[in-house]
C-alpha cells in the first residue's frame, strides 16, 4: 500500500497537482563546488520535500517542464511489475516456505 501511495504522490508531484504545492516559482542558485556545479536549495524547500544533505533527488522532464522530486519515477513501474508477477504466480509463491 505504501508503494502505491508513493507512486500516486510522485505522479501528483510530476503533474503539479500535489497538495501543498505552489505554482510560485522558486529561484535556485547554482554554485561551484570543486570541479562540479551544485544547486542551493532553500531550507523551506528542503523541509517541504523532507530532504537532508546527501539525499537523492530526481529531475524529471515532462511536457510542462522540469520537476524536482525526491521520488524515483522508475521505482513505481518496478513495483507494478512485481505486483503483476506476484498476482500471476500467487499459487507458486504460497508454496514457498516462510
Amino acid at each position: 500500500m505504501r508503494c502505491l501511495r508513493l507512486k500516486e504522490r510522485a505522479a501528483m508531484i510530476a503533474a503539479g497537482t500535489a497538495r501543498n504545492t505552489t505554482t510560485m516559482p522558486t529561484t535556485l542558485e547554482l554554485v561551484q563546488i570543486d570541479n562540479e556545479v551544485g544547486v542551493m536549495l532553500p531550507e523551506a524547500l528542503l523541509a517541504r520535500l523532507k530532504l537532508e544533505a546527501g539525499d537523492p533527488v530526481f529531475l524529471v522532464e515532462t511536457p510542462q517542464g522540469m520537476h524536482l522530486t525526491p521520488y524515483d519515477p522508475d521505482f513505481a513501474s518496478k513495483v507494478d511489475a512485481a505486483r503483476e508477477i506476484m498476482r500471476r504466480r500467487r499459487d507458486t509463491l504460497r508454496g514457498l516456505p516462510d
Side-chain angles (χ1 to χ4, degrees):
M1 187 61 122
R2 180 169 165 73
C3 293
L4 181 61
R5 287 189 194 131
L6 287 176
K7 175 185 173 185
E8 291 171 351
R9 178 82 173 143
M12 288 170 55
I13 288 171
T17 58
R19 284 179 298 187
N20 300 327
T21 60
T22 179
T23 57
M24 296 292 297
T26 300
T27 302
L28 303 177
E29 181 181 346
L30 298 177
V31 294
Q32 185 73 38
I33 304 170
D34 295 327
N35 293 331
E36 299 179 356
V37 175
V39 177
M40 299 288 291
L41 300 176
E43 288 292 324
L45 181 59
L46 290 172
R48 232 173 87 202
L49 293 172
K50 297 181 176 92
L51 292 172
E52 296 178 357
D55 287 347
V57 293
F58 302 90
L59 188 62
V60 181
E61 188 173 358
T62 68
Q64 292 80 27
M66 304 299 270
H67 296 275
L68 186 68
T69 177
Y71 304 108
D72 183 352
D74 293 330
F75 180 73
S77 64
K78 292 174 185 173
V79 169
D80 288 342
R83 283 194 178 126
E84 178 60 22
I85 291 169
M86 288 186 283
R87 186 188 64 74
R88 284 187 313 197
R89 304 288 184 206
R90 184 176 319 165
D91 294 333
T92 303
L93 292 172
R94 282 189 187 135
L96 295 174
D98 289 329

